[in-house]
């Protein structure tokens, strides 16, 4: 008959706190202290402590130390466990059942909590554990529901809901912080004029600006700031604008709407690889079959663009190849000359005048009007003038129209706004070209060129032949 084991050989302690904003670890340290005292009274030997600090079990966030504890229980490294309370271990019944399965396989039956022992070897002990687990889950669900309801109430009232200080505003989330607002306006202006997101990142870092956490800027952080409806004086909730905010806007609501449409454009998310290193990717086409040329460096490392055939993973005829450096230099030279032409100067002047008229009148575009209607709808619902069903039906229709309007903005012809600064006097673009990053160079090229065709090479001609290149300009 197997000998009954009356005490565990080696015990672990598990501690967890859901929220530790200041990262002081005072909560988990207190739990560990009381767990050690319980183990001492029982005569159990503690060999390991597993701590997940500032990690919520309810939200399903990864708990690396908890997973390690399960692995060690299953491997027999420890055969007993002490925790402050069962809800420190689990907030989901399915996690509790997984815990039971691990304990069964490893024949672990020593589980003690500071608030009361649970004997895993007995059905009553497990039944008690399941009841406590169900109660903990209900408490978490109730708390989550209250928090969501409060956040929705604050959103519909246009009020902030706390949290980290937003960039551009003071710690009260309402007053504008002047130096950061200036940076935001500069970034918005650059993007709306056609500059790249990376050029905004570089400009913000060059100006000495830092994130709220005191770090240097990077693309996704800048994008989050400029995508936020907050800077346009609007209140967002669950990724939707629900009304006006109580805080002042840093940029106009119209510009904020246009920024979000611009930054949602999937074509702005450049793919990794050789395409990012080439000026004319997406614009260069094969003069034989019309397929787009792709980046395909030569064996000696020199950059090149080719019409890739199906045999090499493309859709073209495979008959065109051109070295990228002389190709880009020739097209750039033509671009400089075109920017200095009276015709482009006239087009740019007309576009600049239109921009200035829009800035003076703040004439709303379709997307802005629809977004405003959604905000008015939310205000009517908050004021009790609409039922929830009426609000949902009207919002569904307006949301579909708004998504279509935003997509129309994205699919429109590239703006020549980025060219304005270079078309005011002759030679400016040629002199400043080398100081621009690739994304800005591409934006300028796309604003004035619709296509660059590359014809077949003349057999036996070993130099770059400019006659192969045909640039098609936008009207």
């Amino acid at each position: 008959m197997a000998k009954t084991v009356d005490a565990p050989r080696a015990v672990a302690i598990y501690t967890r706190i859901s929220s530790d904003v200041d990262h002081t670890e005072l909560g988990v340290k207190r739990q560990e202290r009381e767990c050690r005292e319980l183990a001492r009274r029982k005569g159990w030997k503690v060999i390991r402590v597993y701590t997940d600090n500032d990690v919520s079990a309810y939200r399903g966030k990864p708990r690396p130390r908890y997973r390690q504890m399960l692995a060690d229980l299953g491997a027999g490294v420890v055969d007993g466990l002490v925790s402050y309370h069962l809800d420190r271990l689990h907030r989901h019944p399915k996690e509790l059942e997984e815990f039971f399965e691990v304990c069964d396989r490893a024949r672990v039956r020593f589980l003690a909590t500071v608030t009361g022992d649970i004997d895993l070897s007995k059905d009553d002990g497990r039944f008690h554990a399941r009841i406590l687990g169900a109660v903990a889950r209900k408490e978490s669900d109730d708390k989550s529901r209250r928090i969501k309801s409060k956040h929705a109430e604050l959103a519909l009232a246009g009020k902030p809901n706390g949290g980290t200080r937003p960039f551009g505003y003071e710690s009260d989330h309402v007053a504008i912080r002047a130096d950061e607002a200036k940076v935001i306006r500069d970034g918005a202006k650059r993007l709306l004029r056609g500059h790249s997101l990376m050029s905004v990142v570089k400009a913000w870092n060059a100006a000495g600006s830092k994130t709220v956490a005191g770090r240097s800027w990077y693309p996704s952080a800048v994008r989050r700031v400029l995508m936020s409806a907050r800077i346009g004086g609007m209140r967002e909730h669950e990724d939707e604008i629900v009304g006006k905010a109580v805080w002042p806007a840093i940029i106009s609501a119209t510009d904020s709407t246009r920024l979000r449409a611009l930054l949602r454009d999937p074509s702005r998310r450049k793919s990794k690889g050789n395409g990012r290193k080439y000026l004319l990717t997406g614009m260069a086409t094969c003069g034989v079959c019309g397929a787009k040329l792709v980046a395909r460096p030569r064996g000696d490392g020199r950059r090149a663009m080719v019409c890739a055939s199906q045999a090499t993973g493309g859709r073209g005829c495979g008959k065109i190849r051109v070295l990228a450096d002389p190709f880009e230099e020739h097209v750039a030279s033509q671009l400089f000359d075109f920017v200095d032409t009276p015709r482009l100067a006239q087009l740019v002047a007309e576009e600049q005048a239109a921009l200035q008229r829009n800035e003076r009148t703040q004439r709303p575009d379709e997307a802005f009007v629809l977004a405003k209607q959604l905000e008015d709808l939310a205000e009517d619902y908050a004021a009790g003038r609409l039922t929830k069903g009426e609000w949902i039906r009207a919002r569904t229709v307006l949301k579909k129209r708004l998504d279509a309007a935003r997509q129309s903005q994205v699919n429109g012809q590239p703006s020549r706004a980025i060219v304005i600064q270079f078309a005011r006097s002759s030679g400016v673009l040629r002199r400043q070209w080398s100081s621009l990053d690739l994304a800005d160079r591409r934006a300028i090229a796309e604003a004035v060129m619709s296509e660059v065709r590359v014809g077949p090479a003349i057999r036996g001609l070993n130099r770059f032949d400019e006659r192969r290149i045909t640039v098609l300009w936008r009207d």
Side-chain angles (χ1 to χ4, degrees):
M1 183 174 179
K3 183 179 179 181
T4 301
V5 178
D6 296 321
R9 170 181 50 81
V11 170
I13 289 174
Y14 180 75
T15 63
R16 180 185 63 81
I17 285 289
S18 297
S19 179
D20 182 12
V21 178
D22 298 327
H23 300 287
T24 60
E25 299 188 353
L26 293 178
V28 290
K29 287 177 180 177
R30 175 179 56 79
Q31 290 180 25
E32 180 183 344
R33 186 167 58 251
E34 296 195 28
C35 288
R36 284 189 180 277
E37 176 59 24
L38 176 60
R40 185 192 64 77
R41 292 198 306 269
K42 288 179 168 292
W44 292 358
K45 181 181 178 182
V46 176
I47 66 166
R48 294 195 180 181
V49 177
Y50 304 89
T51 297
D52 286 311
N53 190 47
D54 198 26
V55 178
S56 170
Y58 174 74
R59 295 184 182 279
K61 292 182 179 180
R63 292 191 286 158
R65 298 300 291 160
Y66 173 78
R67 303 311 303 183
Q68 183 61 54
M69 179 201 71
L70 280 186
D72 288 348
L73 279 171
V77 176
V78 293
D79 60 349
L81 182 67
V82 180
S83 185
Y84 183 78
H85 190 276
L86 193 66
D87 67 6
R88 297 300 88 197
L89 279 169
H90 314 104
R91 282 282 186 173
H92 290 274
K94 65 179 181 180
E95 278 192 339
L96 180 61
E97 296 304 323
E98 180 192 19
F99 177 73
F100 284 158
E101 290 174 4
V102 171
C103 290
D104 284 344
R105 287 195 297 269
R107 297 184 179 180
V108 174
R109 65 182 182 87
F110 297 102
L111 171 63
T113 60
V114 173
T115 54
D117 289 1
I118 296 176
D119 188 346
L120 297 182
S121 65
K122 297 180 179 178
D123 290 340
D124 286 348
R126 294 196 173 198
F127 178 64
H128 186 208
R130 288 186 174 104
I131 291 175
L132 292 176
V135 170
R137 176 56 189 259
K138 185 178 186 306
E139 290 176 349
S140 295
D141 287 344
D142 289 345
K143 181 179 179 182
S144 175
R145 187 164 52 251
R146 289 194 300 270
I147 291 173
K148 286 181 179 179
S149 178
K150 182 63 176 177
H151 283 179
E153 179 184 335
L154 290 171
L156 289 174
K159 296 178 180 179
N161 58 3
T164 305
R165 178 183 75 81
F167 185 77
Y169 293 85
E170 300 291 353
S171 56
D172 64 358
H173 295 224
V174 174
I176 290 177
R177 182 169 288 198
D179 58 334
E180 294 180 353
K182 181 180 178 181
V183 169
I184 289 173
R185 293 187 188 104
D186 173 74
K189 186 176 180 180
R190 286 174 180 270
L191 280 181
L192 291 174
R193 286 187 172 181
H195 289 262
S196 66
L197 186 64
M198 183 54 70
S199 71
V200 176
V201 173
K202 291 179 179 179
W204 285 15
N205 285 328
S209 175
K210 299 291 183 182
T211 67
V212 172
R215 302 188 182 97
S216 296
W217 289 101
Y218 49 96
S220 61
V222 172
R223 188 176 185 275
R224 278 196 300 272
V225 170
L226 297 179
M227 274 281 289
S228 172
R230 160 178 285 278
I231 63 175
M234 300 298 172
R235 182 63 160 87
E236 284 178 295
H237 180 60
E238 296 182 349
D239 297 326
E240 285 190 20
I241 296 176
V242 295
K244 291 181 180 178
V246 297
W247 55 81
I250 292 175
I251 64 174
S252 72
T254 302
D255 284 349
S256 180
T257 298
R258 288 172 176 152
L259 274 178
R260 289 194 300 280
L262 184 69
L263 291 170
R264 283 190 180 100
D265 181 0
S267 70
R268 292 183 63 89
R269 298 177 179 271
K270 308 300 182 182
S271 60
K272 293 182 179 180
N274 291 323
R276 298 183 66 182
K277 302 174 184 177
Y278 290 69
L279 172 68
L280 299 171
T281 303
M283 286 180 281
T285 61
C286 173
V288 177
C289 69
K292 291 184 183 295
L293 302 188
V294 298
R296 192 70 59 84
R298 289 165 51 111
D300 58 7
R302 286 188 291 177
R303 299 185 316 133
M305 300 190 76
V306 304
C307 177
S309 65
Q310 293 184 0
T312 59
R315 298 180 179 180
C317 61
K319 297 179 180 180
I320 296 295
R321 172 181 290 272
V322 61
L323 287 174
D325 287 342
F327 176 37
E328 292 178 359
E329 289 172 7
H330 171 69
V331 172
S333 179
Q334 288 193 276
L335 175 62
F336 304 150
D337 292 339
F338 183 77
V339 169
D340 289 340
T341 60
R343 174 58 183 152
L344 181 62
Q346 179 184 349
L347 292 172
V348 166
E350 292 172 358
E351 183 164 334
Q352 187 177 26
L355 285 172
Q356 290 174 345
R357 285 196 301 272
N358 285 344
E359 289 174 0
R360 284 196 304 270
T361 62
Q362 286 296 299
R363 185 178 63 197
D365 53 28
E366 184 183 6
F368 175 73
V369 170
L370 290 168
K372 182 65 171 61
Q373 290 176 353
L374 275 172
E375 294 155 17
D376 293 341
L377 191 70
E379 290 180 3
D380 288 341
Y381 173 58
R385 292 187 288 270
L386 293 174
T387 66
K388 186 173 182 179
E390 290 171 335
W391 173 58
I392 290 174
R393 287 192 296 273
R395 185 184 65 166
T396 301
V397 173
L398 287 174
K399 189 72 167 53
K400 287 182 179 178
R401 291 174 57 192
L402 177 59
D403 290 342
R406 285 171 172 167
Q407 190 59 46
S408 177
Q409 287 178 329
V410 166
N411 294 335
Q413 180 172 305
S415 171
R416 289 195 180 94
I418 192 172
V419 185
I420 290 174
Q421 59 190 300
F422 302 110
R424 288 172 177 163
S425 59
S426 179
V428 175
L429 181 59
R430 189 184 301 272
R431 292 192 298 271
Q432 296 188 11
W433 186 254
S434 62
S435 65
L436 300 175
D437 63 31
L438 178 59
D440 278 351
R441 293 181 189 180
R442 286 180 54 83
I444 293 169
E446 289 171 350
V448 295
M449 296 189 302
S450 60
E451 184 181 351
V452 182
R453 294 176 186 166
V454 182
I458 297 176
R459 187 179 298 275
L461 187 63
N462 294 323
R463 60 175 177 79
F464 176 71
D465 185 3
E466 297 177 353
R467 294 171 297 179
R468 298 176 61 194
I469 312 304
T470 303
V471 178
L472 302 182
W473 305 99
R474 295 189 185 278
D475 294 334

